[in-house]
């Protein structure tokens, strides 16, 4: 979602430390602006084009085990073809290595006037899931249908998931242009997809005519409802609350089958960007709100429990600077248009690392930036079920630095303690597990 015409003054009194504590749960590990070089200079992908391709607009990032690389969806940009950027196998050394052009079933490329790609996930077979908010240049009042499309690893569309009419824009839908399907994550097992609306549906606000409410809806899909893989079904809608009415939901990252991290972003002319990280859980036990006409009068029990993990709006800058061509304001120069959230590391020492990436809107005053943070895993609630009636732990997966291996950390309640099962696996953030070896440790629960 583009932000323009900002007025900024020089910020002062901020902490320029290379790392620091953001909250009791989250520590900032550092900042990486390597990708901003290509945002300024473009990228030549070796296809024989005479001019570099405009690089930027990183709307969502995921790891693809089949490719051995992180992949990032490009936001719409004029008539440029829609594509996925390949960023290498280590975000600390991120650089574009190529791209995948996205086409319809007939091989005709989508472009910035026909799709508005935002959320990205990877299925176990390497296929890509992408949400589109609708028609980028839709006229006021025009009917739009947000999409969840499935693309092969070659970029050609293979299928799409059903989206309820309630999430359409105008007509009978209640979503708002450029504020619809934005967040997407695939569970570690590869059997569950959760897709979130950026802002509220109009019918969920007290007035029924605007989006002035914290209520947010997410769509939950599963492919193993009847025991058959590949048969994606919309099984429920769940509700949760944003930090405030101005916070848009820009990305999810699955923590097992039953919970997910939530990246929230706000922007206004006076205060600039606000960025928060939260954790929502309880998908399996949550009521299905599909038939709830309005969430405005729903009890708290209708919403997923949410824990705020960190507010990035403090004084910690990680040494970030405003760009020389920007007009400054009294805001933290670290904050920009963060839209991406990807788990990069989880190991048997209790470590869970994330990277947050920015969509620079192809704007020279904004920075394509990566911020790395670490989360204390004690905040996560044990995963009661993956939806098949069996008990499972809260599973976290990550790719290795080389993209060839990984680790899974599974937490499951055992009486008054927590049993942690640590398994080395050839896995990715969004793929299924290939168990190689395992060992079990017992950790006391506070």
């Amino acid at each position: 979602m583009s932000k323009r015409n900002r007025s900024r003054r020089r910020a002062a009194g901020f902490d320029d430390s290379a790392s620091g504590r953001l909250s009791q749960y989250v520590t900032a590990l550092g900042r990486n602006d390597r990708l901003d070089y290509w945002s300024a200079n473009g990228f030549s992908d070796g296809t024989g084009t005479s001019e570099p391709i405009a690089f930027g607009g990183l709307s969502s990032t995921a790891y693809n085990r089949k490719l051995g690389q992180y992949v990032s969806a490009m936001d719409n940009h004029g008539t440029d073809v829609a594509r996925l950027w390949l960023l290498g196998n280590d975000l600390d050394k991120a650089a574009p290595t190529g791209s995948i052009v996205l086409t319809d079933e007939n091989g005709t490329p989508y472009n910035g006037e026909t799709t508005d790609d935002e959320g990205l996930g990877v299925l176990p077979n390497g296929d890509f899931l992408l949400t589109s908010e609708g028609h980028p240049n839709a006229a006021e009042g025009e009917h739009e249908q947000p999409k969840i499309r499935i693309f092969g690893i070659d970029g050609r569309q293979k299928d799409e998931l059903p989206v309820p009419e309630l999430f359409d824009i105008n007509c009978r839908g209640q979503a708002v242009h450029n504020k619809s399907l934005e967040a997407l994550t695939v569970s570690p097992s590869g059997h569950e997809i959760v897709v979130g609306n950026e802002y509220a549906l109009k019918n969920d606000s007290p007035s029924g005519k605007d989006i002035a409410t914290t209520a947010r809806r997410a769509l939950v899909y599963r492919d193993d409802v009847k025991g058959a893989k590949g048969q994606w079904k919309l099984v429920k809608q769940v509700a949760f609350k944003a930090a405030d009415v101005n916070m848009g939901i820009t990305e999810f990252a699955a923590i097992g089958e039953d919970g997910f991290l939530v990246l929230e972003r706000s922007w206004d002319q006076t205060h600039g960007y606000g960025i928060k990280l939260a954790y929502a859980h309880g998908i399996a036990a949550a009521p299905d709100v599909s038939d709830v006409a309005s969430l405005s009068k729903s009890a708290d029990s209708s919403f997923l429990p949410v824990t705020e993990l960190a507010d990035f709006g403090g004084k910690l800058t990680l040494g970030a600077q405003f760009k020389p061509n920007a007009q400054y304001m009294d805001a933290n120069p670290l904050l920009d248009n963060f839209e991406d959230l990807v788990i990069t590391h989880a190991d048997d020492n209790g470590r869970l690392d994330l990277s947050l990436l920015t969509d620079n809107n192809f704007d020279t005053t904004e920075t394509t930036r990566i911020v790395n943070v670490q989360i204390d895993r004690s905040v996560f609630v044990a995963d009661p079920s993956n939806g098949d009636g069996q008990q499972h732990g809260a599973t976290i997966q990550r790719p290795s630095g080389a993209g060839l291996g990984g680790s899974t950390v599974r937490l499951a309640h055992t009486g008054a303690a927590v049993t942690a099962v640590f398994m080395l696996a050839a896995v990715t953030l969004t793929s299924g597990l290939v168990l190689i070896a395992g060992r079990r440790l017992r950790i006391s629960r506070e």
Side-chain angles (χ1 to χ4, degrees):
M1 185 172 64
S2 182
K3 307 291 184 295
R4 306 294 182 195
N5 301 318
R6 292 168 294 168
S7 176
R8 294 186 171 181
R9 304 186 304 277
R10 169 65 66 182
F14 287 87
D15 178 2
D16 290 336
S17 302
S19 63
R21 197 79 168 166
L22 289 168
S23 72
Q24 68 182 99
Y25 304 115
V26 181
T27 300
L29 302 178
R31 169 187 58 87
N32 178 350
D33 291 354
R34 286 172 51 92
L35 290 173
D36 202 51
Y37 168 84
W38 286 274
S39 292
N41 297 284
F43 170 67
S44 298
D45 67 355
T47 59
T49 55
S50 59
E51 296 293 332
I53 301 168
F55 176 84
L58 307 184
S59 288
S60 185
T61 301
Y63 186 81
N64 190 307
R65 175 173 170 256
K66 296 289 186 180
L67 294 173
Q69 297 199 52
Y70 288 95
V71 181
S72 190
M74 186 183 91
D75 205 347
N76 63 293
H77 184 226
T79 58
D80 287 359
V81 297
R83 66 181 71 236
L84 301 173
W85 298 111
L86 305 179
L87 301 179
N89 60 24
D90 185 351
L91 289 180
D92 286 336
K93 302 175 182 177
T97 64
S99 68
I100 300 171
V101 172
L102 299 172
T103 75
D104 64 17
E105 297 92 332
N106 299 316
T108 302
Y110 286 105
N111 63 39
E113 293 184 343
T114 57
T115 191
D116 185 5
D117 296 330
E118 296 291 353
L120 171 68
V122 180
L123 296 173
N125 65 357
D127 284 352
F128 296 103
L129 281 163
L130 272 165
T131 66
S132 171
E133 287 196 292
H135 194 294
N137 299 321
E140 185 175 354
E142 181 179 339
H143 177 219
E144 301 176 69
Q145 291 181 304
K147 300 286 187 178
I148 306 172
R149 300 183 175 111
I150 299 177
F151 294 87
I153 204 165
D154 61 354
R156 185 184 287 254
Q157 184 174 337
K158 299 170 71 172
D159 201 357
E160 64 180 63
L161 303 187
V163 176
E165 187 178 55
L166 182 67
F167 289 76
D168 282 3
I169 299 161
N170 301 315
C171 194
R172 298 179 185 175
Q174 297 292 326
V176 175
H177 175 71
N178 202 34
K179 293 178 172 61
S180 61
L181 300 184
E182 179 98 11
L184 183 151
T185 188
V186 180
S187 70
S189 71
H191 287 301
E192 184 172 85
I193 299 165
V194 184
V195 179
N197 222 51
E198 182 179 5
Y199 283 92
L201 301 179
K202 289 184 289 187
N203 59 308
D204 287 332
S205 72
S207 72
K209 299 179 180 179
D210 55 39
I211 56 174
T213 177
T214 59
R216 303 287 186 271
R217 295 190 187 224
L219 303 169
V220 181
Y221 300 83
R222 291 197 67 85
D223 76 339
D224 59 345
V225 176
K226 297 182 179 179
K229 196 171 183 180
Q231 296 180 359
W232 290 106
K233 303 292 184 183
L234 176 59
V235 295
K236 64 165 49 175
Q237 291 180 33
V238 295
F240 65 99
K241 292 182 179 181
D244 62 59
V245 298
N246 297 312
M247 279 287 178
I249 307 304
T250 63
E251 191 56 289
F252 293 155
I255 302 295
E257 307 293 300
D258 206 45
F260 49 92
L261 296 169
V262 183
L263 182 62
E264 303 181 47
R265 174 205 59 201
S266 65
W267 185 89
D268 66 53
Q269 191 77 24
T270 301
H271 303 99
Y273 286 104
I275 304 295
K276 292 186 177 183
L277 184 65
Y279 166 56
H281 63 90
I283 295 173
D288 182 1
V289 298
S290 299
D291 294 329
V292 177
S294 174
L295 295 172
S296 62
K297 297 180 180 179
S298 295
D300 287 345
S301 58
S302 296
F303 296 85
L304 298 178
V306 177
T307 301
E308 184 172 310
L309 301 181
D311 185 339
F312 290 76
K315 298 295 183 181
L316 187 68
T317 70
L318 303 179
Q321 300 283 328
F322 287 120
K323 285 191 170 181
N325 59 342
Q327 292 182 321
Y328 303 123
M329 68 178 191
D330 291 327
N332 187 335
L334 178 67
L335 300 188
D336 215 300
N337 188 32
F338 284 96
E339 291 199 0
D340 301 22
L341 179 66
V342 57
I343 296 174
T344 57
H345 186 98
D347 64 23
D348 56 8
N349 295 316
R351 179 179 170 188
L352 175 64
D353 293 349
L354 309 172
S355 287
L356 287 70
L357 292 82
T358 59
D359 174 353
N360 73 337
N361 294 310
F362 296 94
D363 184 338
T364 59
T365 67
E366 296 190 39
T367 302
T368 300
R369 170 170 293 156
I370 299 173
V371 170
N372 299 317
V373 302
Q374 189 171 101
I375 296 182
D376 181 347
R377 279 207 308 266
S378 66
V379 70
F380 299 132
V381 176
D383 188 344
S385 171
N386 74 352
D388 61 5
Q390 303 298 316
Q391 295 299 308
H392 298 267
T395 305
I396 303 163
Q397 301 179 51
R398 58 94 179 172
S400 72
L404 298 176
S407 66
T408 296
V409 180
R410 176 168 292 170
L411 303 179
H413 289 294
T414 306
V418 173
T419 299
V421 183
F422 300 101
M423 299 179 292
L424 294 176
V427 300
T428 73
L429 174 63
T430 55
S431 72
L433 304 181
V434 182
L435 180 62
I436 300 174
R439 57 192 175 92
R440 180 171 299 219
L441 302 175
R442 181 173 292 277
I443 302 172
S444 296
R445 183 178 64 192
E446 296 181 357

